[in-house]
């Protein structure tokens, strides 16, 4: 199968798509893109939208982590990403939608808010990436890209604070799906691949790791994505983190 995956280094839905290709045993080439620049490149190579993950496979273009899951399942049914039982499939799809629509974005906002304060950690998120420019140079000259990405992602103080406040409830929902067997079963499914990279990315923040790693959701992330690139030293204001620390202490 001829497959090329377009990603932004450190992007959690991009990691989800790569994991699903690996799960299916489909070899693929990867094109690493810089944020913001990615939008123009994706349009230039013919994708209708401007976000990663974007996949060219067998001559077709598929964009979006959930769409990619379905296309991979259609092209290569084994190993399945969705359970055959309709009720179990509905539960996996509900968890997968939550991962895409509710979990991804607050984590993205916290990260971009962090890069606004200090962009030096950006380099660690690009480990192993081929961006076409030396990464040190990209980081040194990256202030406009960070400012634009933070703006696109609406990573204002107010929204980042709200994102931190949402985390305990989001983590509780993931733990509950693990508890009822929807996630982290013997066979990993599309929802595991959707959610685990978001959790793994959250754990790259020194501010968040200790509140996540000992929960069931932390174990899921470590199982599915044992090494996620990137590390952001503590940057979030302590008062934003109070709900998270009290939640993990319970
Ligand atoms: N919910 C979408 C998310 C797509 C998305 O927002 N991707 C981000 C990266 S995580 C992106 O392409 N951002 C453009 C940019 O940073 O310039 C999915 O799961 O595919």
């Amino acid at each position: 199968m001829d497959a090329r995956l377009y990603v932004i280094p450190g992007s959690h839905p991009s990691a989800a798509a790569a994991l699903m290709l690996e799960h299916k045993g489909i070899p693929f080439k990867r094109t690493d893109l810089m944020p913001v620049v990615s939008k123009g490149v994706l349009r230039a190579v013919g994708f209708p939208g401007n976000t990663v993950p974007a996949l060219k496979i067998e001559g077709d273009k598929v964009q979006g982590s959930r769409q990619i899951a379905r296309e991979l399942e259609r092209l290569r049914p084994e190993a399945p990403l969705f359970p055959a039982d309709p009720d179990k499939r509905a539960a996996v799809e509900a968890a997968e939608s939550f991962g895409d629509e509710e979990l991804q974005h607050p984590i993205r906002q916290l990260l971009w808010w962090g890069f606004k304060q200090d962009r030096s950690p950006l380099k660690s998120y690009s480990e192993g990436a081929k961006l076409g420019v030396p990464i040190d140079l990209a980081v040194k000259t990256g202030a406009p890209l960070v400012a634009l990405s933070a703006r696109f992602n609406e990573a204002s103080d107010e929204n980042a604070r709200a994102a931190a406040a949402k985390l305990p409830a989001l983590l509780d929902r993931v733990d509950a799906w693990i508890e009822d067997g929807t996630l982290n079963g013997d066979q990993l499914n599309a929802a595991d691949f959707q959610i685990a990279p978001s959790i793994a990315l959250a754990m790259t923040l020194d501010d968040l790791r200790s509140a996540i790693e000992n929960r069931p959701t932390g174990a899921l992330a470590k199982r599915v994505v044992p090494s996620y690139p990137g590390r952001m030293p503590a940057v979030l204001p302590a008062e934003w983190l109070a709900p998270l620390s009290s939640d993990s202490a319970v």
Side-chain angles (χ1 to χ4, degrees), residues 168-190:
L170 295 172
L171 296 171
D172 285 348
R173 288 186 69 187
V174 179
D175 281 350
W177 273 310
I178 293 172
E179 176 71 33
D180 78 10
T182 302
L183 297 175
N184 208 19
D186 294 341
Q187 308 294 324
L188 293 174
N189 60 48

Side-chain angles (χ1 to χ4, degrees), residues 5-8 11-18 20 42 47 51-55 62-66 68 104:
L5 182 65
Y6 294 80
V7 307
I8 293 174
S11 150
H12 37 340
S14 298
M20 291 190 288
L42 292 170
F47 283 98
T51 57
V52 295
L55 177 68
V62 198
Q63 227 166 346
S65 50
R66 279 192 288 166
I68 289 171
Q104 273 184 20

Side-chain angles (χ1 to χ4, degrees), residues 6-17 33-40 42 50-54 63-68 96-97 99-101 104-105 108 112 145 148-150 152-153 194 201 228:
Y6 294 80
V7 307
I8 293 174
S11 150
H12 37 340
S14 298
L33 301 170
M34 294 223 269
V36 182
V37 177
S38 57
K39 295 180 191 293
L42 292 170
N50 60 10
T51 57
V52 295
Q63 227 166 346
S65 50
R66 279 192 288 166
Q67 290 80 349
I68 289 171
E96 188 199 21
S97 300
D100 184 350
E101 292 167 11
Q104 273 184 20
H105 200 54
R108 194 182 280 122
W112 283 111
L145 282 194
L148 274 173
S149 290
F152 286 142
N153 289 300
Q194 171 66 239
L201 177 58
Y228 200 97

